[in-house]
Amino acid sequence: MDPAADLPPVLHPVWDALGAATTRRTAFTLAGLATVSGDGAPQVRSVILRSWDGARGVLGFATDERSAKVRELRADPRVALVLWDDEAQVQVRLAGRAAVVADPAERRRRWEGLGPGTRRGYATTTAPGSAVDGRVGQDDDEAAWFARFAWVEVVVDRVDRLDLAADPHDRMVADRGAGGWRARRVAP
Ligand SMILES: Cc1cc2nc3c(=O)[nH]c(=O)nc-3n(C[C@H](O)[C@H](O)[C@H](O)COP(=O)(O)O)c2cc1C
């Protein structure tokens, strides 16, 4: 997706890397996603980044509607993500606001974009994190799988890129404000 016209050039490599990460498997495809839980404690888990709209600065991932992360982000939409490219020696930290997409056509479109193996992951009748006694229940009803599926969008409003391959190390922080993105170099 095209970056926003007013995007500072220092953000272009991040936009390109997020575009690549969501179209093929790259080091940035798997992210650590942090949410705030009900008691204020941070929670973090891995998620696969599946879409990036560079014009809007919006990331998308698929998850289970019944999961703790969905409860958490519905109660407090603030999220943070961390990505690490070991080969490039680049860390990207993102912060923003997450929401479960409600639009039925968009939900359907995103569901249809998932591979069959990923869709099968929603066959579990027992909610994620629930106690299991014996085998985890599964069903074969794709309509039920779809009902358990949530597509979450994160409107990114902060980017922190740390380049450890640079000598000396280089760090840039960018924030989205009313006038668009503003970036500044900071000490690593
Ligand atoms: C490699 C890997 C990829 C994963 N991708 C996703 C994902 O895209 N979406 C998701 O909901 N959970 C994914 N998970 C599972 C989560 O890390 C987590 O265990 C699960 O979603 C429950 O999290 P929660 O209880 O905090 O909601 C992945 C786990 C691993 C190890």
mmCIF file of all heavy atoms in Angstrom, residues 87-120:
data_model
loop_
_atom_site.group_PDB
_atom_site.id
_atom_site.type_symbol
_atom_site.label_atom_id
_atom_site.label_comp_id
_atom_site.label_asym_id
_atom_site.label_seq_id
_atom_site.Cartn_x
_atom_site.Cartn_y
_atom_site.Cartn_z
ATOM 1 N N GLU A 87 18.620 -10.402 11.059
ATOM 2 C CA GLU A 87 19.600 -10.247 9.988
ATOM 3 C C GLU A 87 19.945 -8.769 9.785
ATOM 4 O O GLU A 87 21.118 -8.401 9.702
ATOM 5 C CB GLU A 87 19.019 -10.839 8.702
ATOM 6 C CG GLU A 87 20.071 -11.234 7.704
ATOM 7 C CD GLU A 87 19.430 -11.871 6.483
ATOM 8 O OE1 GLU A 87 18.671 -12.858 6.647
ATOM 9 O OE2 GLU A 87 19.662 -11.346 5.385
ATOM 10 N N ALA A 88 18.914 -7.936 9.728
ATOM 11 C CA ALA A 88 19.149 -6.498 9.521
ATOM 12 C C ALA A 88 19.579 -5.801 10.814
ATOM 13 O O ALA A 88 20.049 -4.669 10.779
ATOM 14 C CB ALA A 88 17.886 -5.846 8.974
ATOM 15 N N GLN A 89 19.390 -6.493 11.946
ATOM 16 C CA GLN A 89 19.705 -5.915 13.262
ATOM 17 C C GLN A 89 18.874 -4.658 13.522
ATOM 18 O O GLN A 89 19.396 -3.625 13.963
ATOM 19 C CB GLN A 89 21.208 -5.618 13.380
ATOM 20 C CG GLN A 89 22.067 -6.877 13.355
ATOM 21 C CD GLN A 89 22.080 -7.580 14.705
ATOM 22 O OE1 GLN A 89 22.586 -7.061 15.690
ATOM 23 N NE2 GLN A 89 21.472 -8.768 14.767
ATOM 24 N N VAL A 90 17.585 -4.770 13.197
ATOM 25 C CA VAL A 90 16.682 -3.627 13.380
ATOM 26 C C VAL A 90 15.503 -4.050 14.259
ATOM 27 O O VAL A 90 14.876 -5.093 14.011
ATOM 28 C CB VAL A 90 16.165 -3.096 12.021
ATOM 29 C CG1 VAL A 90 15.049 -2.067 12.213
ATOM 30 C CG2 VAL A 90 17.318 -2.474 11.224
ATOM 31 N N GLN A 91 15.245 -3.238 15.276
ATOM 32 C CA GLN A 91 14.051 -3.408 16.103
ATOM 33 C C GLN A 91 13.070 -2.300 15.737
ATOM 34 O O GLN A 91 13.461 -1.128 15.613
ATOM 35 C CB GLN A 91 14.401 -3.299 17.585
ATOM 36 C CG GLN A 91 13.172 -3.223 18.497
ATOM 37 C CD GLN A 91 13.552 -3.026 19.949
ATOM 38 O OE1 GLN A 91 13.618 -3.973 20.722
ATOM 39 N NE2 GLN A 91 13.833 -1.781 20.322
ATOM 40 N N VAL A 92 11.794 -2.662 15.610
ATOM 41 C CA VAL A 92 10.751 -1.657 15.442
ATOM 42 C C VAL A 92 9.735 -1.855 16.548
ATOM 43 O O VAL A 92 9.235 -2.976 16.757
ATOM 44 C CB VAL A 92 10.083 -1.748 14.052
ATOM 45 C CG1 VAL A 92 8.857 -0.850 13.977
ATOM 46 C CG2 VAL A 92 11.078 -1.362 12.952
ATOM 47 N N ARG A 93 9.462 -0.795 17.273
ATOM 48 C CA ARG A 93 8.391 -0.811 18.283
ATOM 49 C C ARG A 93 7.277 0.088 17.777
ATOM 50 O O ARG A 93 7.540 1.188 17.287
ATOM 51 C CB ARG A 93 8.926 -0.289 19.622
ATOM 52 C CG ARG A 93 10.027 -1.173 20.188
ATOM 53 C CD ARG A 93 10.807 -0.456 21.266
ATOM 54 N NE ARG A 93 10.004 -0.196 22.457
ATOM 55 C CZ ARG A 93 10.418 0.580 23.453
ATOM 56 N NH1 ARG A 93 11.576 1.212 23.387
ATOM 57 N NH2 ARG A 93 9.652 0.750 24.506
ATOM 58 N N LEU A 94 6.064 -0.411 17.900
ATOM 59 C CA LEU A 94 4.900 0.345 17.437
ATOM 60 C C LEU A 94 3.941 0.506 18.597
ATOM 61 O O LEU A 94 3.848 -0.377 19.464
ATOM 62 C CB LEU A 94 4.177 -0.419 16.318
ATOM 63 C CG LEU A 94 5.022 -0.822 15.102
ATOM 64 C CD1 LEU A 94 4.230 -1.762 14.196
ATOM 65 C CD2 LEU A 94 5.474 0.409 14.327
ATOM 66 N N ALA A 95 3.211 1.598 18.612
ATOM 67 C CA ALA A 95 2.139 1.761 19.596
ATOM 68 C C ALA A 95 0.941 2.321 18.869
ATOM 69 O O ALA A 95 1.075 3.029 17.861
ATOM 70 C CB ALA A 95 2.577 2.697 20.722
ATOM 71 N N GLY A 96 -0.230 1.983 19.353
ATOM 72 C CA GLY A 96 -1.432 2.480 18.711
ATOM 73 C C GLY A 96 -2.678 2.026 19.428
ATOM 74 O O GLY A 96 -2.622 1.647 20.609
ATOM 75 N N ARG A 97 -3.781 2.087 18.679
ATOM 76 C CA ARG A 97 -5.093 1.732 19.229
ATOM 77 C C ARG A 97 -5.674 0.613 18.391
ATOM 78 O O ARG A 97 -5.686 0.696 17.175
ATOM 79 C CB ARG A 97 -6.020 2.947 19.200
ATOM 80 C CG ARG A 97 -5.577 3.908 20.250
ATOM 81 C CD ARG A 97 -6.330 5.193 20.343
ATOM 82 N NE ARG A 97 -5.739 5.904 21.451
ATOM 83 C CZ ARG A 97 -6.199 5.868 22.704
ATOM 84 N NH1 ARG A 97 -7.304 5.205 22.975
ATOM 85 N NH2 ARG A 97 -5.576 6.497 23.664
ATOM 86 N N ALA A 98 -6.177 -0.392 19.096
ATOM 87 C CA ALA A 98 -6.696 -1.574 18.414
ATOM 88 C C ALA A 98 -8.207 -1.624 18.522
ATOM 89 O O ALA A 98 -8.785 -1.178 19.523
ATOM 90 C CB ALA A 98 -6.097 -2.833 19.040
ATOM 91 N N ALA A 99 -8.838 -2.166 17.486
ATOM 92 C CA ALA A 99 -10.289 -2.364 17.517
ATOM 93 C C ALA A 99 -10.637 -3.605 16.718
ATOM 94 O O ALA A 99 -9.989 -3.907 15.699
ATOM 95 C CB ALA A 99 -11.006 -1.147 16.934
ATOM 96 N N VAL A 100 -11.641 -4.321 17.188
ATOM 97 C CA VAL A 100 -12.156 -5.473 16.453
ATOM 98 C C VAL A 100 -13.056 -4.931 15.344
ATOM 99 O O VAL A 100 -13.946 -4.122 15.603
ATOM 100 C CB VAL A 100 -12.954 -6.407 17.387
ATOM 101 C CG1 VAL A 100 -13.575 -7.554 16.607
ATOM 102 C CG2 VAL A 100 -12.055 -6.928 18.507
ATOM 103 N N VAL A 101 -12.775 -5.361 14.121
ATOM 104 C CA VAL A 101 -13.562 -4.873 12.978
ATOM 105 C C VAL A 101 -14.958 -5.492 13.030
ATOM 106 O O VAL A 101 -15.110 -6.706 13.137
ATOM 107 C CB VAL A 101 -12.840 -5.210 11.660
ATOM 108 C CG1 VAL A 101 -13.734 -4.961 10.463
ATOM 109 C CG2 VAL A 101 -11.552 -4.399 11.558
ATOM 110 N N ALA A 102 -15.965 -4.619 12.954
ATOM 111 C CA ALA A 102 -17.356 -5.081 13.050
ATOM 112 C C ALA A 102 -18.006 -5.243 11.681
ATOM 113 O O ALA A 102 -18.931 -6.044 11.527
ATOM 114 C CB ALA A 102 -18.168 -4.099 13.895
ATOM 115 N N ASP A 103 -17.508 -4.514 10.686
ATOM 116 C CA ASP A 103 -18.133 -4.523 9.362
ATOM 117 C C ASP A 103 -18.211 -5.957 8.806
ATOM 118 O O ASP A 103 -17.176 -6.604 8.602
ATOM 119 C CB ASP A 103 -17.306 -3.636 8.424
ATOM 120 C CG ASP A 103 -17.868 -3.634 7.025
ATOM 121 O OD1 ASP A 103 -19.037 -3.243 6.857
ATOM 122 O OD2 ASP A 103 -17.144 -4.062 6.101
ATOM 123 N N PRO A 104 -19.420 -6.469 8.540
ATOM 124 C CA PRO A 104 -19.561 -7.879 8.138
ATOM 125 C C PRO A 104 -18.829 -8.208 6.837
ATOM 126 O O PRO A 104 -18.220 -9.271 6.733
ATOM 127 C CB PRO A 104 -21.074 -8.073 7.973
ATOM 128 C CG PRO A 104 -21.713 -6.899 8.632
ATOM 129 C CD PRO A 104 -20.722 -5.786 8.637
ATOM 130 N N ALA A 105 -18.871 -7.287 5.865
ATOM 131 C CA ALA A 105 -18.221 -7.566 4.575
ATOM 132 C C ALA A 105 -16.702 -7.637 4.739
ATOM 133 O O ALA A 105 -16.032 -8.497 4.162
ATOM 134 C CB ALA A 105 -18.602 -6.490 3.566
ATOM 135 N N GLU A 106 -16.162 -6.755 5.559
ATOM 136 C CA GLU A 106 -14.713 -6.748 5.791
ATOM 137 C C GLU A 106 -14.287 -7.996 6.570
ATOM 138 O O GLU A 106 -13.267 -8.620 6.258
ATOM 139 C CB GLU A 106 -14.327 -5.460 6.538
ATOM 140 C CG GLU A 106 -12.856 -5.306 6.871
ATOM 141 C CD GLU A 106 -11.937 -5.163 5.648
ATOM 142 O OE1 GLU A 106 -12.416 -5.238 4.500
ATOM 143 O OE2 GLU A 106 -10.723 -5.014 5.869
ATOM 144 N N ARG A 107 -15.081 -8.372 7.568
ATOM 145 C CA ARG A 107 -14.790 -9.610 8.325
ATOM 146 C C ARG A 107 -14.755 -10.798 7.377
ATOM 147 O O ARG A 107 -13.873 -11.632 7.432
ATOM 148 C CB ARG A 107 -15.880 -9.872 9.372
ATOM 149 C CG ARG A 107 -15.599 -9.322 10.730
ATOM 150 C CD ARG A 107 -16.612 -9.876 11.729
ATOM 151 N NE ARG A 107 -16.232 -11.158 12.244
ATOM 152 C CZ ARG A 107 -16.999 -12.255 12.251
ATOM 153 N NH1 ARG A 107 -18.216 -12.225 11.732
ATOM 154 N NH2 ARG A 107 -16.564 -13.376 12.763
ATOM 155 N N ARG A 108 -15.751 -10.880 6.508
ATOM 156 C CA ARG A 108 -15.848 -11.991 5.556
ATOM 157 C C ARG A 108 -14.640 -11.986 4.614
ATOM 158 O O ARG A 108 -14.021 -13.014 4.358
ATOM 159 C CB ARG A 108 -17.174 -11.868 4.787
ATOM 160 C CG ARG A 108 -17.375 -12.849 3.679
ATOM 161 C CD ARG A 108 -17.417 -14.298 4.134
ATOM 162 N NE ARG A 108 -18.538 -14.617 4.992
ATOM 163 C CZ ARG A 108 -18.720 -15.816 5.571
ATOM 164 N NH1 ARG A 108 -17.847 -16.794 5.365
ATOM 165 N NH2 ARG A 108 -19.752 -16.022 6.357
ATOM 166 N N ARG A 109 -14.291 -10.806 4.118
ATOM 167 C CA ARG A 109 -13.168 -10.691 3.181
ATOM 168 C C ARG A 109 -11.865 -11.161 3.843
ATOM 169 O O ARG A 109 -11.073 -11.888 3.245
ATOM 170 C CB ARG A 109 -13.049 -9.218 2.743
ATOM 171 C CG ARG A 109 -12.077 -8.975 1.612
ATOM 172 C CD ARG A 109 -12.165 -7.521 1.150
ATOM 173 N NE ARG A 109 -11.427 -6.611 1.999
ATOM 174 C CZ ARG A 109 -10.123 -6.370 1.903
ATOM 175 N NH1 ARG A 109 -9.406 -6.990 0.984
ATOM 176 N NH2 ARG A 109 -9.526 -5.516 2.716
ATOM 177 N N ARG A 110 -11.671 -10.749 5.102
ATOM 178 C CA ARG A 110 -10.444 -11.137 5.812
ATOM 179 C C ARG A 110 -10.428 -12.638 6.099
ATOM 180 O O ARG A 110 -9.379 -13.274 6.023
ATOM 181 C CB ARG A 110 -10.300 -10.331 7.098
ATOM 182 C CG ARG A 110 -10.085 -8.851 6.857
ATOM 183 C CD ARG A 110 -8.865 -8.597 6.000
ATOM 184 N NE ARG A 110 -8.549 -7.181 5.893
ATOM 185 C CZ ARG A 110 -7.506 -6.718 5.215
ATOM 186 N NH1 ARG A 110 -6.694 -7.542 4.574
ATOM 187 N NH2 ARG A 110 -7.273 -5.434 5.161
ATOM 188 N N TRP A 111 -11.582 -13.193 6.460
ATOM 189 C CA TRP A 111 -11.689 -14.635 6.717
ATOM 190 C C TRP A 111 -11.315 -15.406 5.452
ATOM 191 O O TRP A 111 -10.559 -16.378 5.502
ATOM 192 C CB TRP A 111 -13.118 -14.965 7.164
ATOM 193 C CG TRP A 111 -13.407 -16.414 7.337
ATOM 194 C CD1 TRP A 111 -14.186 -17.201 6.538
ATOM 195 C CD2 TRP A 111 -12.948 -17.273 8.398
ATOM 196 N NE1 TRP A 111 -14.243 -18.478 7.032
ATOM 197 C CE2 TRP A 111 -13.487 -18.550 8.163
ATOM 198 C CE3 TRP A 111 -12.122 -17.067 9.516
ATOM 199 C CZ2 TRP A 111 -13.245 -19.634 9.003
ATOM 200 C CZ3 TRP A 111 -11.864 -18.153 10.352
ATOM 201 C CH2 TRP A 111 -12.427 -19.415 10.109
ATOM 202 N N GLU A 112 -11.829 -14.941 4.324
ATOM 203 C CA GLU A 112 -11.561 -15.637 3.067
ATOM 204 C C GLU A 112 -10.107 -15.497 2.637
ATOM 205 O O GLU A 112 -9.613 -16.316 1.866
ATOM 206 C CB GLU A 112 -12.548 -15.172 1.988
ATOM 207 C CG GLU A 112 -13.884 -15.865 2.220
ATOM 208 C CD GLU A 112 -15.057 -15.303 1.440
ATOM 209 O OE1 GLU A 112 -14.844 -14.390 0.621
ATOM 210 O OE2 GLU A 112 -16.175 -15.789 1.681
ATOM 211 N N GLY A 113 -9.414 -14.513 3.182
ATOM 212 C CA GLY A 113 -7.993 -14.345 2.889
ATOM 213 C C GLY A 113 -7.096 -15.274 3.694
ATOM 214 O O GLY A 113 -5.894 -15.370 3.435
ATOM 215 N N LEU A 114 -7.664 -15.967 4.686
ATOM 216 C CA LEU A 114 -6.855 -16.889 5.507
ATOM 217 C C LEU A 114 -6.768 -18.244 4.812
ATOM 218 O O LEU A 114 -7.721 -18.680 4.149
ATOM 219 C CB LEU A 114 -7.490 -17.084 6.891
ATOM 220 C CG LEU A 114 -7.682 -15.825 7.741
ATOM 221 C CD1 LEU A 114 -8.365 -16.197 9.056
ATOM 222 C CD2 LEU A 114 -6.351 -15.131 8.017
ATOM 223 N N GLY A 115 -5.646 -18.923 4.999
ATOM 224 C CA GLY A 115 -5.487 -20.267 4.426
ATOM 225 C C GLY A 115 -6.355 -21.268 5.173
ATOM 226 O O GLY A 115 -6.787 -21.003 6.301
ATOM 227 N N PRO A 116 -6.589 -22.443 4.564
ATOM 228 C CA PRO A 116 -7.449 -23.455 5.199
ATOM 229 C C PRO A 116 -6.926 -23.909 6.561
ATOM 230 O O PRO A 116 -7.714 -24.143 7.491
ATOM 231 C CB PRO A 116 -7.476 -24.616 4.197
ATOM 232 C CG PRO A 116 -6.608 -24.234 3.050
ATOM 233 C CD PRO A 116 -6.132 -22.827 3.231
ATOM 234 N N GLY A 117 -5.603 -24.019 6.688
ATOM 235 C CA GLY A 117 -5.019 -24.457 7.965
ATOM 236 C C GLY A 117 -5.274 -23.429 9.060
ATOM 237 O O GLY A 117 -5.578 -23.784 10.209
ATOM 238 N N THR A 118 -5.179 -22.162 8.704
ATOM 239 C CA THR A 118 -5.425 -21.095 9.690
ATOM 240 C C THR A 118 -6.898 -21.089 10.086
ATOM 241 O O THR A 118 -7.228 -20.963 11.278
ATOM 242 C CB THR A 118 -5.019 -19.727 9.100
ATOM 243 O OG1 THR A 118 -3.656 -19.803 8.706
ATOM 244 C CG2 THR A 118 -5.206 -18.602 10.097
ATOM 245 N N ARG A 119 -7.782 -21.271 9.094
ATOM 246 C CA ARG A 119 -9.221 -21.279 9.404
ATOM 247 C C ARG A 119 -9.555 -22.430 10.350
ATOM 248 O O ARG A 119 -10.364 -22.283 11.259
ATOM 249 C CB ARG A 119 -10.034 -21.380 8.106
ATOM 250 C CG ARG A 119 -9.936 -20.107 7.286
ATOM 251 C CD ARG A 119 -11.182 -19.864 6.475
ATOM 252 N NE ARG A 119 -11.305 -20.792 5.363
ATOM 253 C CZ ARG A 119 -10.966 -20.510 4.107
ATOM 254 N NH1 ARG A 119 -10.510 -19.317 3.798
ATOM 255 N NH2 ARG A 119 -11.111 -21.402 3.148
ATOM 256 N N ARG A 120 -8.891 -23.569 10.129
ATOM 257 C CA ARG A 120 -9.143 -24.739 10.981
ATOM 258 C C ARG A 120 -8.774 -24.445 12.442
ATOM 259 O O ARG A 120 -9.317 -25.052 13.358
ATOM 260 C CB ARG A 120 -8.377 -25.948 10.428
ATOM 261 C CG ARG A 120 -8.515 -27.206 11.208
ATOM 262 C CD ARG A 120 -8.390 -28.474 10.379
ATOM 263 N NE ARG A 120 -9.565 -28.806 9.588
ATOM 264 C CZ ARG A 120 -10.675 -29.346 10.094
ATOM 265 N NH1 ARG A 120 -10.780 -29.606 11.370
ATOM 266 N NH2 ARG A 120 -11.701 -29.619 9.311
#
